[in-house]
Amino acid sequence: LHINGKQLCAFFAFTALCLYGLMYYVKPDVASHGMHEMPGGYLEISRWQYLLTQLRVMGTYVRLALFPFNQNLDYAYPVVSDIFMHDAWAGLILIISLAACAAACFRRYRLISLGILWWFITLLTESSILVLADVIFEHRLYLPLAGFCMTAAAAPLYFLDGRYRTAATACIIAACT
């Protein structure tokens, strides 16, 4: 078995992604401290605060894709004003790891790379500097989940051998639909 640098980078990025998902599977996402609510439910936060908050929100979205437990209709999500508040730094590490994984997979594993890029591109309008009334809303995951399912279904095609490949791909496609 020969492992090159890009495969090792992809492995570490995938491991960081899994550890992040497990960390937020055990730790609850909802916290009410730090909210700046106005009448009507709108948030009065700056673009910078919204961007920092979205770092953590992106982590919650990934956790919901991997482990769809503890879903919530109306989050009381904390607004982040510093990179070290509410584990926003962990969200930044997750985003960098996913981007590194997409870059490492681009030449050889194009479907995996496309799925990760699809995830980012479709979440870009809600999770950037454009301030929306709700910092997190689970229905924003509908379109990005297509990229997640593409990545999940393509992974066994690339990484499993022969007889297990077809069965694993069929199971993942069935689970994603």
Side-chain angles (χ1 to χ4, degrees):
L1 180 67
H2 183 283
I3 298 175
N4 63 23
K6 288 183 180 180
Q7 290 173 329
L8 191 62
C9 179
F11 171 75
F12 284 127
F14 181 73
T15 303
L17 173 69
C18 290
L19 289 175
Y20 187 86
L22 287 173
M23 181 174 73
Y24 279 96
Y25 173 69
V26 174
K27 183 179 176 182
D29 288 323
V30 181
S32 59
H33 52 80
M35 288 299 292
H36 304 291
E37 290 192 28
M38 292 180 60
Y42 293 99
L43 298 172
E44 185 179 323
I45 60 176
S46 68
R47 289 177 190 238
W48 177 247
Q49 289 174 322
Y50 190 80
L51 179 65
L52 290 175
T53 303
Q54 290 307 305
L55 293 175
R56 185 152 186 270
V57 168
M58 288 287 278
T60 301
Y61 286 156
V62 170
R63 189 215 26 103
L64 285 170
L66 291 172
F67 307 106
F69 301 107
N70 298 328
Q71 295 178 351
N72 196 339
L73 183 61
D74 189 23
Y75 283 87
Y77 217 80
V79 173
V80 178
S81 59
D82 182 15
I83 190 73
F84 298 107
M85 285 179 61
H86 305 294
D87 298 329
W89 60 270
L92 180 62
I93 291 172
L94 173 72
I95 291 170
I96 291 170
S97 298
L98 281 173
C101 185
C105 292
F106 181 72
R107 282 188 182 239
R108 195 160 183 201
Y109 311 114
R110 294 256 170 133
L111 280 177
I112 292 174
S113 182
L114 177 65
I116 294 169
L117 290 175
W118 180 273
W119 174 273
F120 279 127
I121 290 169
T122 54
L123 274 176
L124 189 62
T125 56
E126 292 96 1
S127 295
S128 63
I129 60 170
L130 301 174
V131 179
L132 301 175
D134 294 307
V135 293
I136 183 171
F137 225 119
E138 290 177 5
H139 73 268
R140 294 179 187 158
L141 283 181
Y142 294 160
L143 192 57
L145 279 175
F148 175 80
C149 292
M150 184 186 314
T151 300
L157 290 174
Y158 293 127
F159 299 116
L160 290 180
D161 292 330
R163 61 182 178 205
Y164 301 112
R165 180 182 299 159
T166 305
T169 303
C171 289
I172 289 173
I173 289 173
C176 289
T177 57

